[in-house]
Amino acid sequence: MAAGDMASTRLGAGRQHLRPLKRRGLVLLRLTAIVFAVLLFCEFLIYYLVIFRCSWPAVKTPADAGGLGTPEPVLRAMFLADTHLLGAVRGHWLDKLRREWQMERAFQTALWLLQPEVVFILGDIFDEGKWSSSQAWADDVGRFWKIFRHPPHVQLRAVAGNHDIGFHYQMNTYKIKRFEKVFSPERLFSWKGINFCVPGTQSPADCTGGPWLISCPCLSFVMVNSVALEGDGCDICSGAEAELLEISHRLNCSREEHRPQECGDGQRLPASAPILLQHFPLYRRNDANCSGEDAAPPDEKYTPFKERYDALSQEASRKLLWWLRPRLVLSGHTHSACEVLHGAGVLEVSVPSFSWRNRNNPSFIMGSVTPTEYALAKCYLPCEDTVLTTYCTAAGGLMLLTLVHAGLVASPFHFGWNMLRKFKTT
């Protein structure tokens, strides 16, 4: 009997020894699950939850108004600006990791949810392109294509900013050429409308339901190297102005119903007014008239803009509006939102930065564009302080749970229960 009692006593002691270990294992498992859930929410799910609320703006077409004839194709375009991928000199590895991951998740989520047909980046893609070496440039370009990878049916176009090729006094042909080698040198981008079904015509095999398919050039975007519009007659500046004059000539010829002899027999451009894309905004005194939650902060709104540095000069702005006669202008550079009317009611939209490095609440513009109309909407990305607050709250909760388990702090549940019992007894 004595031997049996001793064996049962040892077994009971062993079980009592295992209970704390099991409890610790369960606590560790719960803490791990909480950490994983917070990481999953802050690094993945929050982008879907926020961008899911965005939708393409509706644009009026002749068909919507009950008109007859060919329906106008609608282009879905994303416009973003000032990504500022950090380089080898000023880029801390943690800053790179955090901000580039934010842009990658935001861009890839937007592509998956919104399905744009073309993406335009309005300059300052890189932060150190103005001075980076060949190897540093190649590394930055490789990281860019990883972050902004896209399927073949989505086109990505970009204009140069002062951080990509330098301001006028830093800019040279070598920097411009290496930028154009990555992002294409063309200044005029004509989008060919998607194939549309036209009622009342014969049906080909690949258009079920009866109509015929057509495809024609419908929209023109003029992409300007605004850094080169210094107006001082330098070789690069003269070349840029000559390019714009040639584009202006082609656009004017396409607007003529009866093509003049001096226009030649070249391919006609869309007769609709183009959309102007550039990095520097057109001239404005300051951001005093800009409003919205992502406009410039109050202490910066009334700071005068310096011509050729914060915005284009008045002369360059007048030339662009006169030569190209655009119906819409989109620009970047300021990192803040603004809407300005120029001349005969031409709207300019300054697109805020896409990166947490420049804004707590980054965003991009969604555009539904037809040959005659356009509609714009803004899509906000997750705020950086929301993510940081979530992490801090989760860290505080985990610390509290750890202290409660260690017996260093009373459980809030037990504390509240004891206080309730004391209140009842009194």
Side-chain angles (χ1 to χ4, degrees):
M1 276 306 279
D5 290 341
M6 290 179 62
S8 61
T9 302
R10 287 173 186 167
L11 184 59
R15 287 176 178 172
Q16 288 179 355
H17 180 69
L18 286 174
R19 281 174 190 165
L21 291 178
K22 287 177 89 175
R23 201 178 303 122
R24 288 175 194 164
L26 285 172
V27 170
L28 184 61
L29 186 62
R30 288 172 185 167
L31 294 178
T32 304
I34 293 172
V35 170
F36 178 76
V38 171
L39 283 172
L40 182 66
F41 174 77
C42 290
E43 304 302 332
F44 288 94
L45 295 181
I46 192 171
Y47 294 96
Y48 290 92
L49 293 174
V50 173
I51 298 177
F52 181 76
R53 298 178 297 180
C54 302
S55 59
W56 292 101
V59 60
K60 290 183 179 180
T61 65
D64 296 332
L68 300 176
T70 304
E72 289 185 321
V74 179
L75 173 68
R76 291 181 169 183
M78 276 175 56
F79 303 93
L80 50 101
D82 296 278
T83 53
H84 283 272
L85 270 70
L86 291 171
V89 178
R90 299 196 305 186
H92 188 274
W93 69 268
L94 183 60
D95 197 5
K96 280 185 184 179
L97 178 68
R98 185 80 199 112
R99 272 57 187 271
E100 290 181 10
W101 174 257
Q102 170 258 327
M103 288 192 289
E104 180 176 355
R105 291 316 320 146
F107 184 75
Q108 296 304 322
T109 304
L111 279 187
W112 190 79
L113 288 176
L114 302 174
Q115 300 288 312
E117 292 161 284
V118 62
V119 178
F120 293 102
I121 305 182
L122 305 179
D124 278 2
I125 298 167
F126 306 103
D127 195 60
E128 300 180 11
K130 54 189 177 182
W131 61 50
S132 60
S133 64
S134 298
Q135 183 58 51
W137 173 262
D139 294 341
D140 293 346
V141 168
R143 291 189 354 260
F144 170 84
W145 288 122
K146 175 183 176 295
I147 295 168
F148 294 96
R149 61 189 181 276
H150 54 279
H153 65 271
V154 177
Q155 298 192 54
L156 189 147
R157 304 290 169 131
V159 297
N162 54 287
H163 279 266
D164 301 315
I165 60 176
F167 278 106
H168 177 259
Y169 60 89
Q170 298 171 306
M171 174 182 63
N172 56 43
T173 303
Y174 168 74
K175 293 176 186 176
I176 294 174
K177 292 297 181 186
R178 76 175 181 182
F179 181 87
E180 292 177 345
K181 185 178 179 181
V182 177
F183 296 107
S184 172
E186 66 176 335
R187 297 280 176 261
L188 185 64
F189 170 57
S190 291
W191 179 75
K192 293 194 177 225
I194 58 174
N195 290 327
F196 263 72
C197 297
V198 183
T201 55
Q202 188 178 357
S203 169
D206 56 350
C207 187
T208 58
W212 179 249
L213 294 178
I214 62 166
S215 181
C216 63
C218 295
L219 304 170
S220 289
F221 296 86
V222 180
M223 296 178 289
V224 176
N225 177 5
S226 52
V227 183
L229 298 181
E230 187 78 6
D232 64 349
C234 75
D235 290 342
I236 295 175
C237 301
S238 299
E241 289 200 4
E243 275 187 308
L244 290 173
L245 283 170
E246 173 61 25
I247 292 172
S248 173
H249 175 70
R250 293 180 61 192
L251 288 170
N252 289 333
C253 287
S254 297
R255 291 185 179 112
E256 298 290 340
E257 187 175 349
H258 301 289
R259 196 176 180 89
Q261 186 175 359
E262 60 268 19
C263 290
D265 298 324
Q267 183 183 6
R268 290 179 70 99
L269 296 174
S272 61
I275 294 174
L276 180 60
L277 307 177
Q278 58 191 39
H279 180 63
F280 286 145
L282 297 175
Y283 174 79
R284 60 178 184 258
R285 291 183 179 180
N286 50 37
D287 275 350
N289 295 321
C290 306
S291 59
E293 60 184 286
D294 54 354
D299 58 330
E300 297 178 10
K301 275 190 172 185
Y302 298 94
T303 303
F305 276 8
K306 182 180 177 182
E307 293 186 46
R308 302 177 180 86
Y309 188 86
D310 298 308
L312 288 178
S313 66
Q314 296 185 59
E315 180 187 2
S317 300
R318 281 195 297 266
K319 284 181 178 179
L320 286 175
L321 292 173
W322 175 251
W323 290 345
L324 303 174
R325 289 187 280 169
R327 53 178 166 147
L328 174 66
V329 181
L330 291 118
S331 59
H333 190 57
T334 64
H335 301 172
S336 299
C338 192
E339 294 186 6
V340 182
L341 286 177
H342 298 280
V346 178
L347 175 66
E348 178 183 7
V349 177
S350 289
V351 181
S353 175
F354 192 71
S355 173
W356 276 346
R357 187 165 181 261
N358 302 313
R359 296 199 62 81
N360 173 56
N361 57 340
S363 62
F364 61 91
I365 298 294
M366 303 165 60
S368 299
V369 190
T370 73
T372 56
E373 300 288 341
Y374 65 84
L376 304 178
K378 187 173 293 180
C379 183
Y380 286 96
L381 305 180
C383 294
E384 186 175 26
D385 60 5
T386 301
V387 174
L388 293 177
T389 301
T390 303
Y391 274 128
C392 291
T393 303
L398 289 173
M399 188 176 296
L400 181 62
L401 287 174
T402 304
L403 293 175
V404 168
H405 174 70
L408 299 176
V409 174
S411 169
F413 175 78
H414 291 297
F415 177 78
W417 178 252
N418 291 333
M419 291 294 292
L420 184 62
R421 287 178 60 188
K422 288 181 181 179
F423 176 75
K424 285 183 177 181
T425 55
T426 55

